[in-house]
Amino acid sequence: MKRNTIDIITLGCSKNLVDSEKLMRQLEANGYHVTHDSENPKGEIAVINTCGFIGDAKEESINMILEFCQAKEEGRLKKLFVMGCLSERYLEDLKVEIPQVDKFYGKFNWNDLLDDLGKSYHSEFAIERHQTTPKHYAYLKISEGCDRKCSYCAIPIITGRHHSRPIDEILGEVRLLVSQGVKEFQVIAQELTYYGVDLYKKQMLPELIEKMAQIPGVEWIRLHYAYPAKFPRELFKVMRENDNVCKYMDIALQHISDTMLSKMRRHVTKEETYRLVEEFRKEVPGIHLRTTLMVGHPGETEQDFEELLEFVKFAKFDRMGAFAYSEEEGTYSAENYVDEIPFEVKQDRLDKLMELQQTISAELSAKKIGETFKVIIDRKEGEYFIGRTEFDSPEVDPEVLVKDEGQELKAGEFYSVNIYDADDFDLYGRIIE
C-alpha cells in the first residue's frame, strides 16, 4: 500500500472517463501520485467512478465497490470513495447498504472529494486532465445531460437537463490537447445534436465542428451519440468539406416501426428515419454509420421486429450494436408499461439481429480488400501492429492489423495501408511505402 497514492477506477462510458481524467489532474495538482488501473491497485486511497445506465452496468459497479470494501477490511486500503452515475442515482440507498465506503459523491460534485481530503480545487487546471488514453487520441465532452425523455432511458434522471459547454472553452481544451500530442478527437455527449440550444438558442454542433476542424494539428474529429429527430443538416456540409472531420456518425436509432418509435417517445417517424439514412449516404459520400438498436421494448410485436430486420437489411450499417430492453426504475416505461416480453424472446430477437448484422459487416469488410486507407497505429500486440481507419472509433469498432515484418511503426503516426484480407470484424493490411 503506497502512501500518497490514489487509484482511480472508471466503469462505464467514455464520458465517465473524461471525469476521471479531470479528477486525476486535480489530485496531481494537490501532490498525489495517481494511477488508473483496477487490476493492480496499489494506493492507500481508491476512488471508483461508477456507471448506472442499465442492469449489467449497475451490477458491475456494485461488485467493484464490494471488492474494494473487502480490500479495506483486510487492511490493504485505507479509504474508499465512490462517485459517478450509480451514486448520483442511488446515493441514500448506497450509504445504508454499503457503509464501508467512506463517502459517496454524485456525478457532478466530485470536487467535494478534494475538500474532504483537505485539498483544494485548482480552477486554473479546469480544462486540463491526466490522459489515460494513448497520447494521440482523446475524448472531448462538449455537453452534459439530456433533455430527451425516451421511455426506457434513465440518463436524464441521472444527469439532469442538457448543459452545453461554451464554444471558446471547448476550443481552448482542443488547442491544449493538440499541444500535448493529441491528433484525434472523439467528440462525445449524451446527445450531440442538441449542443448549443441552451447557451446559444440554436443547434451549434456544425459551427463547433467547423471551428475545431480549423485548428492546426487536429487530424481527425469523430462524432458520437447523435439523435435523429431534428438532426442539424448543416453538419453534412461540414463533414463533406473538411478532410479532418471523419466520415463517421454514431447515431442511435433504437427502432424503426412507427408503433415502437411512438412508444419509445423518440419524436421521429419511420419515414423520417429512412430519409435521414438516405441523406447521410447521399450528402456525405463514403460515410460509415454506427447505430444502436433495441429489441424487446414493451409492446414490440413480431411484426415490429420484422420491420426492424428489414430496416437493417436496407441501411447496411457499417457498425451496429444492439441490446435487449431492461426495465429501469423511474423511467416512463417502468411507470406506464408492463415488461411483458419473456427474456427468451428478447434474447432470440437480439441473436437474430446481431447474426444479420454480422453477415452485413463481413460483406462490407470484404469490399475493402484491395483498397488503401490512411491508418493511425494505436499499439503493438504480438506480431501485429494494431491501427484504425477514420471509420473506426477506439474500443468499439474494427481494427486494422499490420504484420510486423521488421518495419518500425510508431503509435500515433499515420500510414498508408493496403488491405489484403478481412474477417467479420477486422482488416489485414500492408504498409504502402
Side-chain angles (χ1 to χ4, degrees):
M1 184 166 57
K2 288 189 179 174
R3 288 197 60 210
N4 226 36
T5 295
I6 297 183
D7 295 305
I8 307 284
I9 295 91
T10 306
L11 302 168
C13 66
S14 49
K15 295 179 283 293
N16 266 11
L17 186 66
V18 172
D19 294 340
S20 289
E21 290 181 338
K22 297 212 164 181
L23 173 60
M24 288 171 79
R25 180 68 185 93
Q26 289 293 328
L27 290 168
E28 285 169 345
N30 280 288
Y32 286 102
H33 174 67
V34 187
T35 66
H36 190 260
D37 182 2
S38 60
E39 299 296 314
N40 303 296
K42 297 183 179 70
E44 57 182 359
I45 299 171
V47 181
I48 302 174
N49 189 355
T50 57
C51 179
F53 177 41
I54 54 175
D56 288 350
K58 288 190 268 194
E59 191 178 332
E60 185 190 11
S61 292
I62 294 289
N63 288 341
M64 186 66 76
I65 295 168
L66 294 176
E67 203 178 297
F68 276 79
C69 285
Q70 190 176 341
K72 192 180 170 199
E73 284 168 5
E74 291 170 3
R76 293 182 286 122
L77 186 68
K78 275 194 179 168
K79 285 191 177 294
L80 175 60
F81 300 105
V82 173
M83 60 184 270
C85 294
L86 187 78
S87 54
E88 176 74 32
R89 192 168 182 203
Y90 300 108
L91 191 69
E92 297 308 318
D93 294 343
L94 288 167
K95 281 182 192 172
V96 175
E97 295 290 330
I98 316 180
Q100 302 95 315
V101 172
D102 289 278
K103 191 162 179 184
F104 289 93
Y105 304 87
K107 185 167 171 53
F108 305 105
N109 67 335
W110 51 261
N111 292 350
D112 295 352
L113 170 61
L114 297 164
D115 289 337
D116 293 333
L117 290 171
K119 306 295 181 183
S120 55
Y121 179 81
H122 287 259
S123 55
E124 68 272 27
F125 300 136
I127 62 169
E128 293 190 22
R129 59 169 97 171
H130 172 117
Q131 226 179 302
T132 60
T133 54
K135 291 296 175 205
H136 54 277
Y137 73 77
Y139 293 97
L140 184 74
K141 185 157 57 168
I142 63 169
S143 65
E144 192 69 80
C146 185
D147 283 4
R148 310 290 186 182
K149 295 285 189 287
C150 302
S151 63
Y152 49 84
C153 186
I155 286 176
I157 300 169
I158 298 167
T159 62
R161 297 294 302 269
H162 182 104
H163 290 287
S164 304
R165 295 176 60 199
I167 285 184
D168 288 347
E169 183 185 297
I170 295 169
L171 297 178
E173 185 172 354
V174 171
R175 289 189 191 97
L176 176 66
L177 287 164
V178 167
S179 75
Q180 294 168 350
V182 174
K183 301 176 179 182
E184 175 186 359
F185 292 85
Q186 326 299 335
V187 179
I188 57 173
Q190 269 85 20
E191 209 283 66
L192 280 183
T193 48
Y194 208 77
Y195 174 76
V197 172
D198 53 328
L199 280 185
Y200 307 106
K201 308 304 174 217
K202 65 172 189 163
Q203 290 171 303
M204 290 289 280
L205 185 65
E207 287 181 51
L208 171 66
I209 301 305
E210 178 70 51
K211 286 184 166 144
M212 267 185 72
Q214 306 313 312
I215 295 175
V218 174
E219 295 267 1
W220 277 353
I221 300 168
R222 199 175 286 105
L223 304 174
H224 282 279
Y225 323 121
Y227 191 89
K230 296 188 170 60
F231 186 87
R233 265 52 177 190
E234 305 84 358
L235 196 58
F236 293 146
K237 183 169 183 278
V238 175
M239 297 182 87
R240 199 170 55 235
E241 295 182 359
N242 292 282
D243 287 341
N244 57 353
V245 180
C246 296
K247 307 299 180 275
Y248 178 104
M249 175 58 72
D250 187 344
I251 181 164
L253 298 174
Q254 305 299 0
H255 218 285
I256 194 61
S257 92
D258 280 325
T259 309
M260 293 318 300
L261 291 170
S262 173
K263 281 183 179 293
M264 290 178 167
R265 307 173 91 201
R266 295 288 288 168
H267 304 291
V268 71
T269 65
K270 175 177 182 173
E271 185 188 346
E272 287 165 343
T273 307
Y274 266 89
R275 194 183 316 133
L276 181 60
V277 171
E278 287 175 326
E279 275 185 82
F280 264 117
R281 303 276 193 222
K282 178 172 168 251
E283 296 289 335
V284 190
I287 192 162
H288 281 45
L289 294 176
R290 162 175 270 286
T291 197
T292 308
L293 302 174
M294 181 194 289
V295 297
H297 183 283
E300 185 187 52
T301 63
E302 279 300 326
Q303 172 61 36
D304 294 321
F305 179 63
E306 286 300 322
E307 281 186 54
L308 188 59
L309 290 175
E310 286 306 310
F311 176 55
V312 171
K313 285 176 194 168
F314 158 81
K316 287 190 165 49
F317 292 108
D318 304 272
R319 320 276 179 249
M320 191 193 90
F323 60 103
Y325 171 83
S326 68
E327 186 171 279
E328 289 298 312
E329 60 210 299
T331 60
Y332 183 88
S333 284
E335 292 174 358
N336 293 276
Y337 303 138
V338 178
D339 183 9
E340 82 287 7
I341 300 174
F343 171 80
E344 295 74 23
V345 174
K346 291 179 187 175
Q347 192 59 48
D348 183 56
R349 289 177 184 173
L350 185 59
D351 291 344
K352 280 181 181 161
L353 193 62
M354 292 314 293
E355 204 175 297
L356 171 59
Q357 180 59 30
Q358 195 168 341
T359 307
I360 292 167
S361 294
E363 285 171 11
L364 293 173
S365 289
K367 283 184 179 170
K368 290 180 173 156
I369 295 172
E371 289 191 50
T372 298
F373 295 97
K374 179 182 177 182
V375 168
I376 194 164
I377 298 296
D378 282 337
R379 65 192 184 281
K380 175 98 185 291
E381 262 181 34
E383 56 181 356
Y384 287 99
F385 293 99
I386 314 290
R388 292 172 292 106
T389 70
E390 69 172 290
F391 311 119
D392 308 306
S393 205
E395 307 290 338
V396 294
D397 288 332
E399 294 174 316
V400 180
L401 281 65
V402 179
K403 196 158 187 182
D404 181 1
E405 294 171 333
Q407 70 276 57
E408 276 304 310
L409 304 189
K410 289 183 183 166
E413 294 297 322
F414 291 96
Y415 299 91
S416 288
V417 177
N418 183 259
I419 305 304
Y420 66 84
D421 197 8
D423 57 30
D424 290 356
F425 300 106
D426 296 322
L427 303 174
Y428 295 83
R430 291 188 186 91
I431 300 294
I432 304 291
E433 298 300 335

